[in-house]
Amino acid sequence: MNSAKQPAIILYRQLLRECHKFSLYNYRDYFLRRVREEFHQNRNVKDSSKTAELLKRGQENLEIIRRQVIIGNLYTPHQRSICDNHEHSFIASR
Amino acid sequence: MFHIIKNSSVKTISFSTVSGRLYRGLSSKPNPSEKDQQENDEKKVKQQKYQELEKLQYRPLYLDAQATTPMDPRVLDQMLPYMTHLYGNPHSRTHAFGWESEKAIEDAREKVAKLINADPKEIVFTSGATESNNIAVKGVGRFYKEKKKHVITTQTEHKCVLDSMRVLESEGLKVTYLPVKTNGLIDLKELESVLTPETSLCSIMMVNNEIGVRQPISEIGKLCRAKKVFFHTDAAQSVGKLPIDVNEMNIDLLSISGHKIYGPKGIGALYIRRRPRVRLDPIQTGGGQERNIRSGTVPTPLVVGLGAACEIAQQEFANDEKRVAQLAKRLIDGITKQCPHVILNGDPQARYAGCVNLSFAYVEGESLLMALKDIALSSGSACTSASLEPSYVLRAIGADEDIAHSSIRFGIGRFTTEAEVDYTIEKTVSHVTRLREMSPLWEMVQEGIDLKTIKWSQH
Ligand SMILES: Cc1ncc(COP(=O)(O)O)c(C=O)c1O
């Protein structure tokens, strides 16, 4: 693994881990998808100033998501989304 | 319940009565006992709703993006500091609290302006698209009324535009309510024929909130500019979802709503062109904030939220657009493949993809909505569910009464998932099939009887 990719992979994993913590199904689904799309789209960026810029933006987003996960989890609804429930039972029944 | 009557006789009626009348669709006031009965009924319905809430096991999935959208967490993140320690009045001149709030507002103004290619000086913050529409329509109509006594709109506008037009009518202006074709679009030739030297304003919405059709805004803008008529467009359903350039499209006034673009509720903006300058009579006066057009302390957290929502809409534009179109196609294909006799209301091409209004022939829309309780949807009838009248928009596109009654609006947005769409398809198809099996009309159709040939007894 080349060393320029290392920070990106670490950030990617941190972002995914954090996005999984969104208690609201729709936010979780959206941000997981967007993180994956974004990293996939930029996977071949070689220009070092460009990668630095992307990493900085990713880091800022990680901080936003961290804060919003905390706030979201302070006010979780009593019920889960009907689709959330379906997806989970679907996985559990496999 | 929302009849469009040209040259109606409401000229002498005060504003509140005008709107009251519009919403009830009655020319006389209900008598006291009727009113009591009505209040009682409303109370019962409310109680029923609240009881439903207690029994809720899962949260329904949300497919009503035209009514409102959830706030994007990135928006809330920018707002929170202004709801906690950054509480200064943005109009305070003498201390840091005021300055930091003022700066936040000016930053937000820039973000809103950028999204529609305007100058920040041309943006005025309001409480929402309703207020923006009121200021634009009444403001321009009143300012130019000595010289120009005519304004134009369409029959399918949002109620706040139609209601403002009624008020202008009551103040002696002449209003033309343009009809729309069966695809929901206006006829440009017809518009051209009603633009006169007497006309001060033409107000036509960009995307319709019920059927999602997209009016030919650039062409309308060109026509209005050529005839020196100010062009206002209600873009509540299209800002951040369609590319908008107020200069290229020759738009003079444009209304924006925060809560339709993943921003907070209670905030909106009005774009007012400076060159050529649009002048208007303010509705709310006082401290002279927002260039005297909208007095009142500007709500910093909400404005910051609107700015953030606009910035994110711009960044996410391509992604949102692709995703919404993809999900809408999945929904329409999924339903129509398994269900015959489904009609997409409004033009199939000139539309915003995220608003899918379908009519299920031989099914009562209200029954279908009831059956689809775990999906948050809206029926085509925009008014309260208690009303049995079909929506005035569907009526304006010439939909048959039964087609209008069987329509449902599916609103897809940034946070809609594939699983939600699939769930909706499955439930819709199964309930439509079930309800049709119970319908004698459907039985006749299956037997090959043409319903149009049947003589119904009057009721
Ligand atoms: C087309 C249109 N105009 C205006 C409005 C009203 O917007 P607001 O809730 O911001 O006043 C809406 C939303 O209901 C709308 O869809």
Side-chain angles (χ1 to χ4, degrees), chain B residues 150-427:
Chain B
H150 178 225
V151 290
I152 298 171
T153 190
T154 74
Q155 294 182 354
T156 54
E157 292 301 305
H158 192 266
K159 273 176 269 176
C160 56
V161 169
L162 291 173
D163 220 8
S164 300
M165 291 290 174
R166 288 284 181 214
V167 174
L168 289 183
E169 249 179 319
S170 74
E171 291 170 1
L173 273 82
K174 199 169 150 279
V175 182
T176 302
Y177 299 93
L178 279 179
V180 294
K181 298 180 282 189
T182 51
N183 60 359
L185 299 175
I186 62 151
D187 185 344
L188 287 166
K189 289 249 161 53
E190 200 166 352
L191 172 63
E192 194 171 7
S193 73
V194 295
L195 287 166
T196 68
E198 281 273 279
T199 316
S200 62
L201 180 76
C202 171
S203 175
I204 296 179
M205 74 203 314
M206 198 171 283
V207 166
N208 185 276
N209 50 310
E210 272 188 53
I211 52 178
V213 296
R214 186 176 171 181
Q215 300 289 353
I217 292 299
S218 298
E219 286 80 357
I220 298 170
K222 215 179 281 169
L223 272 182
C224 289
R225 184 60 56 86
K227 302 262 174 146
K228 297 206 162 53
V229 172
F230 290 130
F231 174 33
H232 165 248
T233 186
D234 175 357
Q237 296 291 352
S238 48
V239 166
K241 295 166 191 168
L242 300 175
I244 298 176
D245 183 326
V246 287
N247 295 316
E248 218 167 76
M249 296 171 150
N250 290 313
I251 295 166
D252 297 306
L253 300 112
L254 179 144
S255 304
I256 300 175
S257 174
H259 70 101
K260 313 273 183 192
I261 53 169
Y262 314 98
K265 294 169 182 52
I267 187 73
L270 177 62
Y271 158 79
I272 308 172
R273 181 174 288 285
R274 298 191 105 195
R275 261 186 296 262
R277 183 155 173 223
V278 182
R279 311 192 55 188
L280 49 78
D281 263 358
I283 293 174
Q284 181 161 297
T285 55
Q289 292 91 344
E290 296 298 281
R291 301 199 343 263
N292 268 325
I293 288 164
R294 206 275 191 177
S295 285
T297 300
V298 174
T300 319
L302 299 181
V303 165
V304 168
L306 177 62
C310 287
E311 187 180 34
I312 294 165
Q314 195 154 24
Q315 284 165 6
E316 298 289 338
F317 190 85
N319 197 284
D320 280 353
E321 191 184 35
K322 191 171 126 232
R323 169 83 175 170
V324 165
Q326 204 180 325
L327 290 181
K329 184 170 184 305
R330 189 186 183 107
L331 178 74
I332 296 173
D333 288 353
I335 291 177
T336 52
K337 239 177 228 151
Q338 302 174 67
C339 255
H341 300 286
V342 179
I343 299 152
L344 175 68
N345 290 306
D347 195 272
Q349 262 85 48
R351 59 164 46 256
Y352 166 60
C355 179
V356 178
N357 190 311
L358 297 177
S359 282
F360 299 88
Y362 318 113
V363 174
E364 240 269 305
E366 292 297 323
S367 324
L368 185 52
L369 274 186
M370 288 290 256
L372 295 173
K373 251 199 201 122
D374 46 8
I375 307 172
L377 291 165
S378 163
S379 75
S381 38
C383 309
T384 55
S385 56
S387 143
L388 286 175
E389 293 283 334
S391 104
Y392 64 93
V393 174
L394 290 172
R395 216 192 306 208
I397 63 170
D400 282 345
E401 189 95 349
D402 44 347
I403 290 298
H405 270 305
S406 64
S407 100
I408 288 189
R409 182 183 70 186
F410 300 84
I412 295 163
R414 182 181 288 162
F415 298 104
T416 309
T417 70
E418 268 139 23
E420 287 177 324
V421 169
D422 291 346
Y423 185 87
T424 306
I425 295 170
E426 185 199 316
K427 288 278 165 170

Side-chain angles (χ1 to χ4, degrees), chain A residues 28-74:
Chain A
R28 188 168 66 238
D29 191 271
Y30 173 79
F31 284 101
L32 280 169
R33 173 170 67 81
R34 287 297 291 125
V35 167
R36 290 187 180 121
E37 283 172 352
E38 213 52 30
F39 276 79
H40 185 74
Q41 195 186 322
N42 295 317
R43 71 194 180 286
N44 292 325
V45 174
K46 293 276 187 311
D47 181 350
S48 63
S49 69
K50 188 96 195 283
T51 33
E53 169 63 30
L54 286 170
L55 283 174
K56 185 167 157 271
R57 233 182 46 211
Q59 195 65 42
E60 281 164 12
N61 276 321
L62 176 62
E63 274 148 35
I64 293 174
I65 291 168
R66 278 203 172 126
R67 288 193 293 269
Q68 290 306 309
V69 161
I70 294 170
I71 290 165
N73 290 349
L74 291 174

